[in-house]
Amino acid sequence: MTLKNVKTSLNKISKTLSEVQDSREFLLKNTREVIILCSRAIIAVHKGDKKSAKTNLKKAESLLKKYQKKAKGDLRRYIITPEQEFVEASCLVAIFEKKEIPTDKKLNVLPESYVLGLLDCVGELKRMIFDKIRIGEISDAIRIFEIMENMYLNLYPFSMYDKVVKETRRKIDVNRILVEDARGAITEEKRRSDLINAINKLQK
């Protein structure tokens, strides 16, 4: 009995695993730039800087496409986080521009990346709503809230896939609280606005 065949097989496996490990480390290291660019795009949206938001998003998309080509087979899981961030930023920019939220096919991302990205977008919408309330743009705040609430309602059934799409249930639970917080803020602001309008009418 000889281990010749075993050694041959193990050498091939070792080479394959080494290549996978190198690719994994490459993806984890280099996709951070995609995440950073998406974060910049989101910050730009909150600042009302449309040009900067779109520029950073375009750069992120270009880099993501490059790394997606390297993420084949099992390596695809290492691209989920940057794809998730890209989905979040893309959806937020679309809402900011009052455009249709892009599909997963349009963004060319994995299904789980799309779901997680939308879930994260809900939190950013709450921030956007509070910013609109702060500057007195209640109508736009209501518009964004309607999108936020409908997004949450459409995502809610995905809590059953928590074992398949990691953290789905936790994110949905958090989003429920965020939606209620936003609803409360808008309701309070609407009442305040209506009261002020009523007082102004009486004073005329």
Side-chain angles (χ1 to χ4, degrees):
M1 185 175 70
T2 175
L3 293 177
K4 181 180 178 181
N5 291 338
V6 172
K7 289 181 179 179
T8 300
S9 295
L10 289 178
N11 285 335
K12 289 180 180 178
I13 291 170
S14 178
K15 183 179 179 181
T16 300
L17 291 177
S18 178
E19 290 173 354
V20 170
Q21 181 170 282
D22 289 344
S23 295
R24 173 186 176 276
E25 291 175 357
F26 172 85
L27 289 170
L28 289 175
K29 179 181 178 181
N30 290 281
T31 54
R32 290 190 191 118
E33 184 62 24
V34 175
I35 295 171
I36 290 170
L37 287 167
C38 289
S39 295
R40 288 175 181 168
I42 290 171
I43 291 170
V45 166
H46 289 303
K47 289 182 177 180
D49 189 347
K50 177 181 173 181
K51 183 179 179 181
S52 179
K54 296 192 76 171
T55 297
N56 281 292
L57 190 60
K58 190 172 182 179
K59 288 179 181 178
E61 182 178 21
S62 179
L63 280 177
L64 186 59
K65 285 180 179 178
K66 174 184 173 183
Y67 299 134
Q68 282 172 330
K69 292 177 182 178
K70 288 185 172 290
K72 301 298 182 182
D74 289 341
L75 289 170
R76 283 292 277 165
R77 58 182 163 164
Y78 298 114
I79 208 82
I80 289 177
T81 298
E83 282 188 348
Q84 176 182 333
E85 296 294 326
F86 177 63
V87 170
E88 179 184 5
S90 297
C91 293
L92 198 66
V93 169
I95 293 167
F96 176 62
E97 294 187 300
K98 299 182 180 180
K99 294 181 178 179
E100 284 293 323
I101 294 172
T103 64
D104 58 328
K105 299 299 181 186
K106 173 72 174 176
L107 297 177
N108 189 33
V109 296
L110 293 169
E112 50 264 55
S113 302
Y114 190 70
V115 171
L116 292 170
L118 288 177
L119 285 168
D120 287 344
C121 186
V122 171
E124 294 300 331
L125 290 179
K126 178 194 171 183
R127 180 179 171 185
M128 190 182 286
I129 289 167
F130 275 66
D131 285 343
K132 293 294 182 182
I133 291 174
R134 181 173 51 81
I135 60 177
E137 295 182 2
I138 186 66
S139 295
D140 211 24
I142 292 172
R143 175 187 72 85
I144 296 167
F145 174 73
E146 288 174 352
I147 295 171
M148 178 191 190
E149 184 177 37
N150 284 322
M151 189 180 288
Y152 164 73
L153 291 173
N154 278 279
L155 287 165
Y156 182 78
F158 284 83
S159 60
M160 71 175 70
Y161 303 119
D162 188 61
K163 300 297 182 183
V164 180
V165 184
K166 191 177 179 182
E167 292 198 336
T168 304
R169 183 170 295 166
R170 182 188 67 79
K171 287 178 180 287
I172 287 173
D173 288 343
V174 170
N175 283 352
R176 176 178 56 79
I177 296 170
L178 296 178
V179 169
E180 290 308 313
D181 285 348
R183 188 198 310 279
I186 286 177
T187 301
E188 184 64 30
E189 181 60 24
K190 189 72 169 59
R191 286 174 180 167
R192 190 185 72 83
S193 180
D194 289 345
L195 178 60
I196 291 173
N197 289 334
I199 292 172
N200 288 337
K201 285 181 180 179
L202 289 172
Q203 291 177 341
K204 288 181 180 179

